[in-house]
Amino acid sequence: MAEDNSIFIGGKPFMNYVTAVVMQFTTKNADEVIVKARGKFISRAVDVAEVASKRFLEEQVGVKDIKIDSEGFQNKEGRDVRVSSIEIFLKRN
Amino acid sequence: MAEDNSIFIGGKPFMNYVTAVVMQFTTKNADEVIVKARGKFISRAVDVAEVASKRFLEEQVGVKDIKIDSEGFQNKEGRDVRVSSIEIFLKRN
């Protein structure tokens, strides 16, 4: 789930991800955590970042930067598909 | 659907939104368009911004800024609920 301080959002229970973010800042004393997601999980990544920073780490952590990107490729049927991604950079205030 | 140059993403067909964004820049000659969404439509807003800027307006328009936010309130059952939102600022290069 983590590469350095990255949390990759998928289909596990929502609070797992919030806890993972909060623990990076508290137990592991990270200065920055990157919440990442692709496709339909992008909405969830925003939810995780908001709940972690506003409910659990209020005044301590904020959104520093947000990047979006996408990559195009051909699926099995030969159709052009584009999948979006997001990176939300949370940083200690 | 629009307040000034804002496009609010919902459940209509995907290409409606892409077309709306592209037309703001082309037909209406806008300098900036803001793609907005709440909750589960956030993923879709990122898709719309990516397809409009990378496939249709390549080299002409880019992502200038992204903001996320959330608001907490109580639902009918008295439970605390938080709904996230996103604003993606697309700007002519």
Side-chain angles (χ1 to χ4, degrees), chain B residues 43-91:
Chain B
S43 304
R44 214 157 193 236
V46 174
D47 290 340
V48 168
E50 284 291 310
V51 169
S53 64
K54 295 220 171 121
R55 194 190 298 167
F56 290 94
L57 299 164
E58 211 184 343
E59 313 270 299
Q60 296 169 66
V61 165
V63 175
K64 190 188 98 189
D65 195 15
I66 305 168
K67 288 177 186 160
I68 61 172
D69 198 3
S70 62
E71 50 177 330
F73 56 89
Q74 289 201 328
N75 68 7
K76 287 182 298 224
E77 290 80 35
R79 286 194 57 192
D80 284 325
V81 174
R82 182 174 287 275
V83 175
S84 302
S85 58
I86 195 167
E87 293 183 347
I88 305 169
F89 295 75
L90 298 174
K91 199 170 162 64

Side-chain angles (χ1 to χ4, degrees), chain B residues 3-20:
Chain B
E3 99 182 74
D4 59 278
N5 293 335
S6 298
I7 310 283
F8 203 82
I9 308 301
K12 292 183 193 166
F14 182 73
M15 286 307 294
N16 286 26
Y17 299 110
V18 175
T19 306

Side-chain angles (χ1 to χ4, degrees), chain A residues 46-64:
Chain A
V46 174
D47 290 338
V48 168
E50 284 291 312
V51 169
S53 65
K54 296 219 170 122
R55 195 189 299 167
F56 290 95
L57 300 165
E58 211 184 343
E59 315 269 300
Q60 296 169 65
V61 165
V63 174
K64 190 187 99 188

